[in-house]
């Protein structure tokens, strides 16, 4: 039989060993105004300056530092004016600077349906649901969205349409911050397809199919 002193020691060790588990159980199932205990420190609990906090290290006391003038983030040089701005030698490009493929047109159709159709309508006639509702309200402040099939819009260069999506025009907001350049060109290509669909001629039909079209 174990000595009494040894038995008491083992009992004390067992009780002490249960304390961490009891503490964890209590911390998990009870409410407290105090922050949780972090045995392992992570990025959610570390010394840092949060938004709009001051930092006495800098003369302007701003913790959030502005970008250094003249610096460019890696991969963000964007020195291709044709692709990123729709310009070539200071003039709007007259041809889409990416390969127009069925995949690009499908992407443009999808993006057009998300960002453009609420105002311009799915067919581009300026009859989107936003415009319809504004007309019903009759508040007198609504500027109707452009009809993308008007001659004025059709005659604009591809770069001009790209710039309109990027920076907006008149009451239309800029979509550059939320639509990547590749998708903007996809939208331009789809707008051209829409315009072509409503202003097509016999010459757009392949020669071997024109006779069949004439029969109908």
């Amino acid at each position: 039989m174990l000595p009494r002193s040894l038995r008491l020691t083992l009992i004390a060790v067992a009780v002490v060993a249960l304390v961490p588990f009891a503490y964890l159980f209590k911390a998990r199932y009870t409410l407290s105004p105090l922050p949780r205990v972090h045995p392992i420190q992570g990025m959610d609990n570390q010394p840092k300056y949060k938004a709009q906090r001051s930092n006495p290290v800098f003369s302007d006391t701003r913790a959030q530092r502005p970008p250094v003038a003249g610096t460019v983030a890696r991969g963000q040089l964007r020195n291709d004016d044709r692709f990123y701005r729709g310009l070539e030698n200071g003039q709007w490009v007259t041809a889409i600077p990416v390969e127009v493929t069925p995949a690009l047109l499908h992407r443009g159709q999808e993006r057009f349906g998300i960002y453009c159709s609420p105002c311009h309508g799915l067919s581009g006639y300026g009859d989107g649901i936003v415009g319809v509702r504004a007309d019903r309200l009759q508040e007198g402040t609504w500027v109707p969205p452009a009809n993308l099939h008007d001659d004025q819009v059709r005659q604009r260069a591809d770069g001009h349409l790209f710039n309109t999506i990027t920076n907006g025009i008149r009451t239309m907001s800029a979509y550059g911050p939320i639509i990547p350049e590749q998708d903007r060109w996809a939208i331009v290509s789809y707008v051209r397809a829409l315009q072509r669909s409503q202003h097509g001629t016999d010459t757009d039909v392949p020669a071997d199919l024109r006779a069949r079209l004439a029969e109908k």
Side-chain angles (χ1 to χ4, degrees):
M1 186 174 181
L2 295 174
R4 184 171 181 274
S5 59
L6 180 58
R7 281 188 285 121
L8 293 175
T9 300
L10 292 175
I11 292 172
V13 170
V15 171
V16 170
L18 293 174
V19 170
F21 298 100
Y23 181 80
L24 291 174
F25 181 85
K26 177 181 180 297
R28 183 176 181 84
Y29 293 101
T30 59
L31 301 177
S32 172
L34 302 176
R36 297 289 187 185
V37 175
H38 287 258
I40 301 176
Q41 297 296 310
M43 293 183 65
D44 60 330
N45 183 37
Q46 64 177 344
K48 59 179 176 290
Y49 287 101
K50 296 185 178 180
Q52 308 303 322
R53 300 290 176 85
S54 62
N55 184 347
V57 171
F58 301 102
S59 60
D60 60 5
T61 70
R62 291 191 298 175
Q64 293 175 294
R65 309 310 304 160
V68 178
T71 59
V72 178
R74 186 184 296 273
Q76 298 296 315
L77 183 58
R78 300 187 175 185
N79 58 346
D80 184 352
D81 276 349
R82 298 181 73 250
F83 179 76
Y84 289 105
R85 299 170 188 84
L87 291 170
E88 185 171 26
N89 299 322
Q91 302 294 322
W92 299 124
V93 296
T94 57
I96 297 173
V98 296
E99 184 182 2
V100 178
T101 63
L104 186 76
L105 286 171
H106 285 303
R107 178 69 175 179
Q109 181 183 32
E110 179 191 45
R111 299 292 96 179
F112 183 92
I114 294 172
Y115 295 108
C116 311
S117 67
C119 287
H120 293 284
L122 290 172
S123 298
Y125 282 100
D127 55 355
I129 189 62
V130 173
V132 171
R133 174 169 171 75
D135 288 338
R136 289 175 181 172
L137 293 176
Q138 291 293 316
E139 294 180 343
T141 58
W142 174 251
V143 178
N147 179 352
L148 302 181
H149 300 287
D150 282 347
D151 288 341
Q152 182 182 13
V153 179
R154 292 174 57 215
Q155 291 170 4
R156 288 174 181 164
D158 293 331
H160 192 304
L161 297 183
F162 177 86
N163 180 74
T164 299
I165 299 171
T166 303
N167 299 308
I169 186 171
R170 293 184 291 277
T171 56
M172 173 180 162
S173 301
Y175 284 85
I178 58 176
I179 304 179
E181 289 82 4
Q182 182 74 13
D183 283 350
R184 282 176 246 164
W185 285 118
I187 292 173
V188 171
S189 68
Y190 181 68
V191 168
R192 292 305 193 203
L194 275 180
Q195 293 170 340
R196 187 80 171 267
S197 71
Q198 301 301 304
H199 298 85
T201 64
D202 292 345
T203 58
D204 296 322
V205 181
D208 58 331
L209 297 178
R210 290 177 194 169
R212 188 184 307 173
L213 181 64
E215 294 174 359
K216 296 182 180 181

